[in-house]
Amino acid sequence: MAERVLPDEDVEEITAEAVAPPWLTILHNCECHTFEQVVKQLQKAIACSEAEGWEIAWQVHNTGKAVVKIGAEAECVRVGNILASIGLVVTVVQS
């Protein structure tokens, strides 16, 4: 008969926790700001380089929108508020 092995008392039990889906901050094209204004605000909001800001701005211009942040709700709202502070059109949604 096989010997039964019990776990040591100091072994932690791992439990699965539900993780909320990430949130998205989406910047929409509004035709009301210059590329320079959008790039500058993106640099403030998501700490991107100027080149990355230009890439995102062109994506928004050409496709109508771009996801600029994926993360926790509070962080996505923070980014959205920075972008919206100059009148950019932003939505924050759960994915």
Side-chain angles (χ1 to χ4, degrees):
M1 187 161 158
E3 183 178 328
R4 186 172 175 195
V5 178
L6 298 173
D8 292 336
E9 289 181 22
D10 61 346
V11 174
E12 267 185 60
E13 184 176 329
I14 299 173
T15 58
E17 290 184 27
V19 177
W23 287 72
L24 308 172
T25 305
I26 303 167
L27 177 60
H28 300 271
N29 192 28
C30 64
E31 302 288 339
C32 53
H33 293 83
T34 66
F35 278 91
E36 289 81 6
Q37 289 171 320
V38 174
V39 170
K40 184 177 178 180
Q41 209 62 14
L42 283 165
Q43 288 178 290
K44 287 181 187 178
I46 61 171
C48 65
S49 69
E50 183 177 353
E52 291 167 326
W54 276 97
E55 287 180 29
I56 295 168
W58 274 106
Q59 181 182 354
V60 171
H61 177 74
N62 290 322
T63 66
K65 64 184 176 182
V67 174
V68 298
K69 180 70 181 174
I70 299 172
E73 180 182 13
E75 182 62 12
C76 287
V77 169
R78 183 193 70 79
V79 167
N81 287 339
I82 293 169
L83 295 171
S85 71
I86 66 164
L88 295 172
V89 178
V90 179
T91 54
V92 176
V93 296
Q94 193 170 19
S95 64

Coordinates of all heavy atoms in Angstrom, one line a residue:
M1 N 0.8 -1.2 0.0 CA 0.0 0.0 0.0 C 0.9 1.2 0.0 O 1.9 1.3 0.7 CB -0.9 0.0 1.3 CG -1.9 1.0 1.3 SD -3.1 0.5 2.5 CE -3.8 1.9 2.9
A2 N 0.5 2.2 -0.8 CA 1.3 3.5 -1.0 C 1.2 4.3 0.3 O 0.1 4.4 0.8 CB 0.9 4.2 -2.2
E3 N 2.3 5.0 0.6 CA 2.2 5.9 1.8 C 1.6 7.2 1.4 O 1.9 7.8 0.3 CB 3.7 6.1 2.3 CG 3.7 7.0 3.5 CD 5.2 7.1 4.0 OE1 6.0 6.2 3.8 OE2 5.4 8.2 4.5
R4 N 0.7 7.7 2.2 CA 0.0 9.0 1.9 C 0.9 10.1 2.4 O 1.4 10.1 3.6 CB -1.3 9.0 2.6 CG -2.1 10.2 2.3 CD -3.5 10.0 2.9 NE -4.2 11.3 2.6 CZ -5.3 11.6 3.2 NH1 -5.9 10.8 4.1 NH2 -5.9 12.8 2.9
V5 N 1.2 11.1 1.5 CA 2.0 12.2 1.9 C 1.1 13.5 2.1 O 0.3 13.8 1.2 CB 3.0 12.5 0.8 CG1 3.9 13.7 1.2 CG2 3.9 11.3 0.6
L6 N 1.2 14.1 3.2 CA 0.5 15.3 3.5 C 1.3 16.5 3.3 O 2.5 16.5 3.6 CB -0.1 15.2 5.0 CG -1.0 14.1 5.3 CD1 -1.3 14.1 6.8 CD2 -2.3 14.2 4.5
P7 N 0.7 17.6 2.9 CA 1.5 18.8 2.7 C 2.0 19.4 4.0 O 1.4 19.2 5.1 CB 0.6 19.8 2.1 CG -0.8 19.3 2.4 CD -0.7 17.8 2.6
D8 N 3.2 20.0 4.0 CA 3.7 20.6 5.2 C 2.8 21.7 5.6 O 2.1 22.4 4.8 CB 5.1 21.3 4.9 CG 6.2 20.2 4.6 OD1 6.0 19.1 5.1 OD2 7.1 20.5 4.0
E9 N 2.8 22.0 6.9 CA 1.9 23.0 7.4 C 2.2 24.4 7.0 O 1.4 25.3 6.9 CB 1.9 23.0 9.0 CG 1.2 21.8 9.5 CD 1.2 21.8 11.0 OE1 1.3 22.8 11.7 OE2 1.0 20.7 11.6
D10 N 3.5 24.7 6.6 CA 3.9 26.0 6.2 C 3.7 26.3 4.7 O 4.1 27.3 4.2 CB 5.3 26.3 6.6 CG 6.3 25.3 6.0 OD1 5.9 24.3 5.4 OD2 7.5 25.6 6.0
V11 N 3.1 25.3 4.0 CA 2.8 25.5 2.6 C 1.5 26.3 2.4 O 0.5 26.0 3.0 CB 2.7 24.2 1.8 CG1 2.3 24.4 0.4 CG2 4.0 23.4 1.9
E12 N 1.7 27.4 1.6 CA 0.5 28.3 1.4 C -0.4 27.6 0.4 O 0.0 27.1 -0.6 CB 0.9 29.6 0.9 CG 1.1 30.7 1.9 CD 1.4 32.0 1.2 OE1 0.6 32.5 0.5 OE2 2.5 32.5 1.5
E13 N -1.7 27.8 0.6 CA -2.7 27.3 -0.3 C -2.9 28.4 -1.3 O -3.2 29.6 -0.9 CB -4.0 26.9 0.3 CG -5.0 26.3 -0.6 CD -6.3 25.9 0.1 OE1 -6.2 25.5 1.3 OE2 -7.3 26.0 -0.5
I14 N -2.9 28.1 -2.6 CA -3.1 29.1 -3.6 C -4.5 29.1 -4.1 O -5.1 28.0 -4.4 CB -2.2 28.9 -4.9 CG1 -0.7 28.9 -4.4 CG2 -2.5 29.8 -6.0 CD1 0.3 28.5 -5.5
T15 N -5.2 30.2 -4.0 CA -6.6 30.3 -4.4 C -6.7 31.2 -5.6 O -5.9 32.2 -5.8 CB -7.4 30.9 -3.3 OG1 -6.9 32.2 -2.9 CG2 -7.4 30.0 -2.1
A16 N -7.6 30.9 -6.5 CA -7.8 31.7 -7.7 C -8.7 32.9 -7.4 O -9.7 32.7 -6.7 CB -8.4 30.8 -8.8
E17 N -8.2 34.0 -7.8 CA -9.0 35.2 -7.6 C -9.5 35.7 -9.0 O -8.7 35.7 -10.0 CB -8.2 36.3 -7.0 CG -7.8 36.1 -5.5 CD -7.1 37.2 -4.9 OE1 -7.3 38.4 -5.4 OE2 -6.3 37.0 -4.0
A18 N -10.7 36.2 -9.0 CA -11.2 36.8 -10.3 C -10.5 38.1 -10.6 O -10.3 38.9 -9.7 CB -12.7 37.0 -10.2
V19 N -10.0 38.2 -11.8 CA -9.4 39.4 -12.2 C -10.3 40.2 -13.2 O -10.7 39.6 -14.2 CB -8.0 39.1 -12.8 CG1 -7.3 40.4 -13.3 CG2 -7.1 38.4 -11.9
A20 N -10.6 41.4 -12.9 CA -11.4 42.2 -13.8 C -10.7 42.4 -15.1 O -9.5 42.6 -15.2 CB -11.7 43.5 -13.1
P21 N -11.5 42.4 -16.2 CA -10.9 42.7 -17.5 C -10.3 44.1 -17.5 O -10.8 45.0 -16.8 CB -12.1 42.6 -18.4 CG -13.2 41.9 -17.7 CD -12.9 42.1 -16.2
P22 N -9.3 44.3 -18.3 CA -8.7 45.6 -18.4 C -9.6 46.6 -19.0 O -10.6 46.3 -19.7 CB -7.5 45.4 -19.3 CG -7.8 44.2 -20.1 CD -8.7 43.3 -19.2
W23 N -9.3 47.9 -18.7 CA -10.1 49.0 -19.2 C -9.3 49.6 -20.4 O -8.1 49.4 -20.5 CB -10.3 50.0 -18.1 CG -11.3 49.6 -17.1 CD1 -11.1 48.6 -16.2 CD2 -12.6 50.0 -17.0 NE1 -12.3 48.4 -15.4 CE2 -13.2 49.3 -15.9 CE3 -13.4 51.0 -17.6 CZ2 -14.5 49.5 -15.5 CZ3 -14.7 51.2 -17.2 CH2 -15.2 50.5 -16.1
L24 N -10.0 50.3 -21.2 CA -9.4 51.0 -22.4 C -9.7 52.4 -22.4 O -10.8 52.8 -22.1 CB -9.9 50.4 -23.7 CG -9.9 48.9 -23.9 CD1 -10.7 48.5 -25.1 CD2 -8.5 48.3 -23.9
T25 N -8.7 53.2 -22.7 CA -8.9 54.7 -22.9 C -8.7 54.8 -24.4 O -7.7 54.5 -25.0 CB -7.8 55.5 -22.2 OG1 -7.8 55.2 -20.8 CG2 -8.1 57.0 -22.4
I26 N -9.8 55.4 -25.1 CA -9.8 55.5 -26.5 C -9.9 57.0 -26.9 O -10.8 57.7 -26.4 CB -11.1 54.8 -27.1 CG1 -11.0 53.3 -26.7 CG2 -11.1 54.9 -28.6 CD1 -12.3 52.5 -26.9
L27 N -9.0 57.4 -27.7 CA -9.0 58.8 -28.2 C -9.7 58.8 -29.6 O -9.3 58.0 -30.4 CB -7.5 59.3 -28.3 CG -7.3 60.7 -28.9 CD1 -8.0 61.7 -28.1 CD2 -5.8 61.0 -29.0
H28 N -10.6 59.7 -29.7 CA -11.4 59.8 -31.0 C -11.0 61.0 -31.8 O -10.6 62.0 -31.2 CB -12.9 59.9 -30.7 CG -13.4 58.7 -29.9 ND1 -13.9 57.6 -30.5 CD2 -13.5 58.5 -28.6 CE1 -14.2 56.7 -29.6 NE2 -14.0 57.2 -28.4
N29 N -11.1 60.9 -33.1 CA -10.8 62.0 -34.0 C -11.9 63.1 -33.8 O -13.1 62.8 -33.8 CB -10.8 61.6 -35.4 CG -10.2 62.6 -36.3 OD1 -9.4 63.4 -35.9 ND2 -10.6 62.6 -37.6
C30 N -11.5 64.4 -33.7 CA -12.5 65.4 -33.5 C -12.3 66.6 -34.5 O -13.1 67.5 -34.5 CB -12.5 65.9 -32.1 SG -11.0 66.7 -31.5
E31 N -11.2 66.6 -35.2 CA -10.9 67.7 -36.2 C -10.8 69.1 -35.5 O -11.0 70.1 -36.2 CB -11.9 67.6 -37.3 CG -12.0 66.3 -38.1 CD -10.8 66.1 -39.0 OE1 -10.0 67.0 -39.4 OE2 -10.5 64.9 -39.3
C32 N -10.7 69.1 -34.2 CA -10.7 70.4 -33.6 C -9.4 70.8 -32.9 O -9.3 71.9 -32.3 CB -11.9 70.4 -32.5 SG -11.8 69.1 -31.4
H33 N -8.4 70.0 -33.1 CA -7.1 70.3 -32.5 C -6.0 70.1 -33.5 O -6.2 69.2 -34.4 CB -6.8 69.4 -31.3 CG -7.7 69.7 -30.1 ND1 -8.9 69.2 -30.0 CD2 -7.5 70.5 -29.0 CE1 -9.5 69.6 -28.9 NE2 -8.6 70.4 -28.3
T34 N -4.9 70.7 -33.4 CA -3.8 70.5 -34.3 C -3.1 69.2 -33.9 O -3.2 68.7 -32.7 CB -2.7 71.6 -34.2 OG1 -2.1 71.6 -32.9 CG2 -3.4 73.0 -34.5
F35 N -2.3 68.6 -34.8 CA -1.5 67.5 -34.5 C -0.6 67.8 -33.3 O -0.4 66.9 -32.4 CB -0.7 67.0 -35.7 CG -1.5 66.2 -36.7 CD1 -2.2 66.7 -37.7 CD2 -1.6 64.8 -36.5 CE1 -2.9 66.0 -38.6 CE2 -2.4 64.0 -37.4 CZ -3.0 64.6 -38.4
E36 N 0.0 68.9 -33.3 CA 0.9 69.3 -32.3 C 0.3 69.3 -30.9 O 0.9 68.8 -29.9 CB 1.6 70.7 -32.6 CG 2.5 70.7 -33.7 CD 1.9 70.8 -35.1 OE1 0.6 70.9 -35.2 OE2 2.6 70.6 -36.1
Q37 N -1.0 69.8 -30.8 CA -1.7 69.8 -29.6 C -2.0 68.4 -29.1 O -1.8 68.1 -27.9 CB -3.0 70.6 -29.7 CG -2.8 72.1 -29.9 CD -4.2 72.7 -30.2 OE1 -4.9 72.2 -31.0 NE2 -4.4 73.9 -29.6
V38 N -2.4 67.6 -30.0 CA -2.7 66.2 -29.6 C -1.4 65.4 -29.2 O -1.4 64.8 -28.1 CB -3.3 65.4 -30.8 CG1 -3.5 63.9 -30.5 CG2 -4.7 66.1 -31.2
V39 N -0.3 65.6 -29.9 CA 0.9 65.0 -29.5 C 1.4 65.4 -28.2 O 1.8 64.6 -27.3 CB 2.0 65.2 -30.6 CG1 3.4 64.8 -30.1 CG2 1.7 64.6 -31.9
K40 N 1.3 66.7 -27.9 CA 1.8 67.2 -26.6 C 0.9 66.7 -25.5 O 1.4 66.3 -24.4 CB 1.7 68.8 -26.6 CG 2.2 69.4 -25.4 CD 2.1 70.9 -25.5 CE 2.6 71.6 -24.2 NZ 2.6 73.0 -24.3
Q41 N -0.4 66.6 -25.7 CA -1.3 66.1 -24.6 C -1.1 64.6 -24.4 O -1.1 64.1 -23.3 CB -2.7 66.4 -25.0 CG -3.6 66.5 -23.8 CD -3.2 67.7 -22.9 OE1 -2.4 68.6 -23.2 NE2 -3.8 67.7 -21.7
L42 N -0.8 63.8 -25.5 CA -0.5 62.4 -25.4 C 0.8 62.2 -24.6 O 0.9 61.3 -23.7 CB -0.3 61.8 -26.7 CG -1.6 61.5 -27.5 CD1 -1.4 61.2 -29.0 CD2 -2.4 60.3 -26.8
Q43 N 1.8 63.1 -24.8 CA 3.0 63.0 -24.0 C 2.8 63.2 -22.5 O 3.3 62.5 -21.7 CB 4.1 64.0 -24.5 CG 4.6 63.6 -25.9 CD 5.6 64.7 -26.4 OE1 5.2 65.8 -26.7 NE2 6.9 64.3 -26.4
K44 N 1.9 64.1 -22.2 CA 1.5 64.3 -20.8 C 0.8 63.1 -20.2 O 1.0 62.7 -19.1 CB 0.6 65.6 -20.7 CG 1.3 66.9 -20.8 CD 0.3 68.0 -20.7 CE 0.9 69.4 -21.0 NZ -0.1 70.4 -20.9
A45 N -0.2 62.6 -21.0 CA -1.1 61.6 -20.5 C -0.5 60.2 -20.4 O -0.7 59.5 -19.4 CB -2.4 61.5 -21.4
I46 N 0.3 59.8 -21.3 CA 0.8 58.4 -21.3 C 2.3 58.4 -21.3 O 2.9 57.3 -21.5 CB 0.2 57.6 -22.5 CG1 0.6 58.2 -23.9 CG2 -1.3 57.5 -22.3 CD1 0.2 57.3 -25.0
A47 N 3.0 59.5 -21.2 CA 4.4 59.5 -21.1 C 5.1 58.9 -22.3 O 6.1 58.2 -22.2 CB 5.0 58.9 -19.8
C48 N 4.5 59.1 -23.5 CA 5.1 58.6 -24.7 C 6.1 59.6 -25.3 O 6.2 60.7 -24.9 CB 4.0 58.3 -25.8 SG 3.2 59.8 -26.4
S49 N 6.9 59.1 -26.2 CA 7.9 60.0 -26.9 C 7.1 60.8 -27.9 O 5.9 60.5 -28.2 CB 8.9 59.2 -27.6 OG 8.3 58.5 -28.7
E50 N 7.7 61.9 -28.4 CA 7.1 62.7 -29.4 C 6.8 61.8 -30.7 O 5.7 61.9 -31.2 CB 8.0 63.9 -29.8 CG 7.3 64.8 -30.8 CD 8.2 66.0 -31.2 OE1 9.3 66.2 -30.5 OE2 7.8 66.8 -32.1
A51 N 7.7 61.0 -31.1 CA 7.5 60.1 -32.2 C 6.3 59.2 -32.0 O 5.5 59.0 -32.9 CB 8.7 59.3 -32.5
E52 N 6.2 58.6 -30.8 CA 5.0 57.7 -30.5 C 3.7 58.5 -30.6 O 2.7 58.1 -31.0 CB 5.2 57.1 -29.2 CG 6.3 56.0 -29.2 CD 6.7 55.6 -27.8 OE1 6.6 56.4 -26.8 OE2 7.0 54.4 -27.6
G53 N 3.8 59.8 -30.0 CA 2.6 60.6 -30.1 C 2.1 60.9 -31.5 O 0.9 60.9 -31.8
W54 N 3.1 61.2 -32.4 CA 2.8 61.4 -33.8 C 2.1 60.2 -34.4 O 1.2 60.3 -35.2 CB 4.0 61.9 -34.6 CG 4.2 63.3 -34.4 CD1 5.1 63.9 -33.6 CD2 3.6 64.4 -35.1 NE1 5.0 65.3 -33.7 CE2 4.1 65.6 -34.6 CE3 2.6 64.4 -36.1 CZ2 3.7 66.8 -35.1 CZ3 2.2 65.7 -36.6 CH2 2.7 66.9 -36.1
E55 N 2.7 59.0 -34.1 CA 2.1 57.8 -34.6 C 0.6 57.6 -34.2 O -0.2 57.2 -35.0 CB 2.9 56.5 -34.2 CG 4.2 56.4 -34.9 CD 5.0 55.2 -34.4 OE1 4.4 54.2 -34.0 OE2 6.2 55.2 -34.4
I56 N 0.4 57.8 -32.9 CA -1.0 57.7 -32.4 C -1.9 58.8 -33.0 O -3.0 58.5 -33.4 CB -1.0 57.8 -30.9 CG1 -0.2 56.6 -30.2 CG2 -2.4 57.9 -30.3 CD1 0.1 56.8 -28.8
A57 N -1.4 60.0 -33.1 CA -2.2 61.1 -33.7 C -2.6 60.8 -35.1 O -3.7 61.0 -35.6 CB -1.5 62.4 -33.6
W58 N -1.7 60.2 -35.9 CA -2.0 59.8 -37.3 C -3.0 58.7 -37.3 O -3.9 58.7 -38.2 CB -0.7 59.5 -38.0 CG -0.1 60.7 -38.6 CD1 1.1 61.3 -38.2 CD2 -0.5 61.5 -39.7 NE1 1.3 62.5 -38.9 CE2 0.4 62.6 -39.9 CE3 -1.6 61.4 -40.6 CZ2 0.2 63.6 -40.9 CZ3 -1.8 62.4 -41.6 CH2 -0.9 63.4 -41.7
Q59 N -2.8 57.7 -36.4 CA -3.8 56.6 -36.4 C -5.2 57.2 -36.1 O -6.2 56.8 -36.8 CB -3.4 55.6 -35.3 CG -4.4 54.4 -35.2 CD -4.0 53.4 -34.2 OE1 -3.0 53.5 -33.5 NE2 -4.9 52.4 -34.0
V60 N -5.3 58.1 -35.1 CA -6.6 58.7 -34.8 C -7.2 59.4 -36.0 O -8.3 59.3 -36.4 CB -6.5 59.6 -33.6 CG1 -7.8 60.4 -33.4 CG2 -6.2 58.8 -32.3
H61 N -6.3 60.2 -36.7 CA -6.7 61.0 -37.9 C -7.2 60.0 -39.0 O -8.2 60.3 -39.6 CB -5.6 61.8 -38.3 CG -5.8 62.6 -39.6 ND1 -6.7 63.7 -39.5 CD2 -5.4 62.5 -40.8 CE1 -6.7 64.2 -40.8 NE2 -6.0 63.5 -41.6
N62 N -6.5 59.0 -39.2 CA -6.8 58.1 -40.4 C -7.9 57.1 -40.1 O -8.6 56.7 -41.0 CB -5.5 57.4 -40.8 CG -4.5 58.3 -41.5 OD1 -4.9 59.2 -42.2 ND2 -3.2 58.1 -41.2
T63 N -8.0 56.6 -38.9 CA -9.0 55.5 -38.6 C -10.2 56.0 -37.7 O -11.1 55.3 -37.5 CB -8.4 54.3 -37.9 OG1 -7.9 54.8 -36.6 CG2 -7.2 53.8 -38.7
G64 N -10.1 57.2 -37.2 CA -11.1 57.8 -36.4 C -11.0 57.6 -34.9 O -11.6 58.2 -34.1
K65 N -10.1 56.7 -34.5 CA -9.8 56.5 -33.1 C -8.6 55.6 -32.9 O -8.1 55.0 -33.8 CB -11.0 55.8 -32.4 CG -11.3 54.4 -32.9 CD -12.6 53.8 -32.3 CE -12.9 52.5 -32.9 NZ -14.2 51.9 -32.4
A66 N -8.1 55.6 -31.6 CA -7.0 54.7 -31.2 C -7.1 54.5 -29.7 O -7.4 55.3 -28.9 CB -5.6 55.4 -31.6
V67 N -6.7 53.2 -29.4 CA -6.6 52.9 -27.9 C -5.2 53.4 -27.5 O -4.2 53.1 -28.0 CB -6.7 51.4 -27.7 CG1 -6.4 51.0 -26.3 CG2 -8.0 50.8 -28.2
V68 N -5.3 54.3 -26.5 CA -4.0 54.9 -26.0 C -3.6 54.4 -24.7 O -2.5 54.6 -24.2 CB -4.2 56.5 -26.0 CG1 -4.4 57.0 -27.4 CG2 -5.2 56.9 -25.0
K69 N -4.5 53.7 -24.0 CA -4.1 53.1 -22.7 C -4.9 51.8 -22.4 O -6.1 51.8 -22.7 CB -4.3 54.1 -21.5 CG -4.0 53.6 -20.2 CD -2.5 53.5 -20.0 CE -2.1 52.9 -18.6 NZ -0.7 52.7 -18.5
I70 N -4.3 50.8 -21.9 CA -5.0 49.6 -21.5 C -4.5 49.3 -20.1 O -3.3 49.3 -19.8 CB -4.6 48.4 -22.4 CG1 -5.1 48.6 -23.8 CG2 -5.3 47.1 -21.8 CD1 -4.6 47.5 -24.8
G71 N -5.4 49.2 -19.1 CA -5.0 49.0 -17.8 C -6.1 49.0 -16.8 O -7.3 48.8 -17.1
A72 N -5.8 49.3 -15.5 CA -6.8 49.4 -14.5 C -7.7 50.6 -14.7 O -7.3 51.6 -15.4 CB -6.1 49.5 -13.1
E73 N -8.9 50.5 -14.2 CA -9.9 51.6 -14.4 C -9.4 52.9 -14.0 O -9.5 53.9 -14.8 CB -11.2 51.2 -13.7 CG -12.3 52.3 -13.9 CD -13.6 52.0 -13.1 OE1 -13.5 51.1 -12.2 OE2 -14.6 52.7 -13.3
A74 N -8.8 53.0 -12.8 CA -8.4 54.3 -12.3 C -7.3 54.9 -13.2 O -7.3 56.2 -13.5 CB -7.8 54.2 -10.9
E75 N -6.4 54.1 -13.7 CA -5.3 54.6 -14.6 C -5.9 55.1 -15.9 O -5.5 56.1 -16.5 CB -4.2 53.6 -14.8 CG -3.1 54.0 -15.6 CD -2.3 55.2 -15.0 OE1 -2.5 55.6 -13.9 OE2 -1.5 55.8 -15.8
C76 N -6.8 54.3 -16.5 CA -7.4 54.7 -17.8 C -8.2 56.0 -17.6 O -8.2 56.8 -18.5 CB -8.3 53.6 -18.3 SG -7.3 52.2 -18.9
V77 N -8.9 56.1 -16.5 CA -9.7 57.4 -16.3 C -8.7 58.5 -16.1 O -9.0 59.6 -16.7 CB -10.6 57.2 -15.0 CG1 -11.2 58.5 -14.6 CG2 -11.7 56.2 -15.3
R78 N -7.6 58.3 -15.4 CA -6.7 59.4 -15.2 C -6.1 59.9 -16.6 O -6.1 61.1 -16.9 CB -5.5 58.9 -14.4 CG -4.4 60.0 -14.1 CD -3.1 59.4 -13.5 NE -2.4 58.7 -14.5 CZ -1.6 59.2 -15.5 NH1 -1.5 60.5 -15.6 NH2 -1.0 58.5 -16.3
V79 N -5.8 58.9 -17.5 CA -5.3 59.3 -18.8 C -6.4 60.0 -19.6 O -6.1 61.0 -20.2 CB -4.8 58.0 -19.5 CG1 -4.6 58.3 -21.0 CG2 -3.5 57.5 -18.9
G80 N -7.6 59.5 -19.5 CA -8.7 60.1 -20.2 C -9.0 61.6 -19.8 O -9.2 62.4 -20.6
N81 N -8.8 61.8 -18.5 CA -9.1 63.1 -17.9 C -8.0 64.1 -18.4 O -8.3 65.3 -18.7 CB -9.1 63.1 -16.4 CG -10.4 62.5 -15.9 OD1 -11.4 62.5 -16.5 ND2 -10.3 62.1 -14.6
I82 N -6.7 63.7 -18.5 CA -5.7 64.5 -19.0 C -5.9 64.9 -20.5 O -5.8 66.0 -20.9 CB -4.3 63.8 -18.9 CG1 -4.0 63.7 -17.4 CG2 -3.2 64.6 -19.6 CD1 -2.7 62.8 -17.1
L83 N -6.3 63.9 -21.3 CA -6.6 64.2 -22.7 C -7.8 65.1 -22.9 O -7.8 66.0 -23.7 CB -6.8 62.8 -23.4 CG -5.6 61.9 -23.5 CD1 -6.0 60.6 -24.1 CD2 -4.5 62.6 -24.3
A84 N -8.8 64.8 -22.1 CA -10.1 65.6 -22.2 C -9.9 67.0 -21.7 O -10.7 67.9 -22.0 CB -11.2 64.9 -21.5
S85 N -8.9 67.3 -20.9 CA -8.7 68.6 -20.3 C -8.5 69.7 -21.3 O -8.8 70.9 -21.0 CB -7.6 68.6 -19.3 OG -6.3 68.5 -19.9
I86 N -8.1 69.3 -22.5 CA -8.0 70.4 -23.6 C -9.1 70.2 -24.6 O -9.1 70.8 -25.7 CB -6.6 70.4 -24.3 CG1 -6.4 69.1 -25.1 CG2 -5.5 70.7 -23.3 CD1 -5.2 69.1 -26.0
G87 N -10.1 69.4 -24.3 CA -11.3 69.2 -25.2 C -11.2 68.1 -26.2 O -12.0 68.0 -27.1
L88 N -10.2 67.2 -26.0 CA -10.1 66.0 -26.9 C -11.3 65.1 -26.5 O -11.7 65.0 -25.4 CB -8.8 65.3 -26.7 CG -7.6 66.1 -27.2 CD1 -6.3 65.3 -26.8 CD2 -7.6 66.3 -28.7
V89 N -11.8 64.3 -27.5 CA -12.9 63.4 -27.3 C -12.3 62.0 -26.9 O -11.6 61.4 -27.7 CB -13.7 63.3 -28.6 CG1 -14.9 62.3 -28.4 CG2 -14.3 64.7 -29.0
V90 N -12.7 61.6 -25.7 CA -12.1 60.4 -25.1 C -13.3 59.5 -24.6 O -14.2 60.1 -24.0 CB -11.2 60.7 -24.0 CG1 -10.6 59.5 -23.4 CG2 -10.0 61.6 -24.5
T91 N -13.1 58.2 -24.7 CA -14.0 57.3 -23.9 C -13.2 56.3 -23.1 O -12.1 56.0 -23.6 CB -15.0 56.5 -24.9 OG1 -14.2 55.8 -25.9 CG2 -16.0 57.4 -25.5
V92 N -13.7 55.9 -22.0 CA -13.0 54.9 -21.2 C -14.0 53.8 -21.0 O -15.1 54.0 -20.5 CB -12.6 55.5 -19.8 CG1 -12.0 54.4 -18.9 CG2 -11.6 56.6 -20.0
V93 N -13.7 52.6 -21.5 CA -14.6 51.5 -21.4 C -13.9 50.2 -20.9 O -12.7 50.1 -21.0 CB -15.2 51.2 -22.9 CG1 -16.0 52.3 -23.4 CG2 -14.1 50.8 -23.8
Q94 N -14.7 49.3 -20.4 CA -14.1 48.0 -20.0 C -14.1 47.1 -21.2 O -15.1 47.1 -21.9 CB -15.0 47.5 -18.8 CG -14.4 46.3 -18.1 CD -15.1 45.9 -16.9 OE1 -16.3 46.3 -16.7 NE2 -14.5 45.2 -16.0
S95 N -13.0 46.4 -21.3 CA -12.9 45.5 -22.5 C -13.7 44.2 -22.3 O -14.1 43.9 -21.3 CB -11.5 45.2 -22.8 OG -10.9 44.4 -21.8

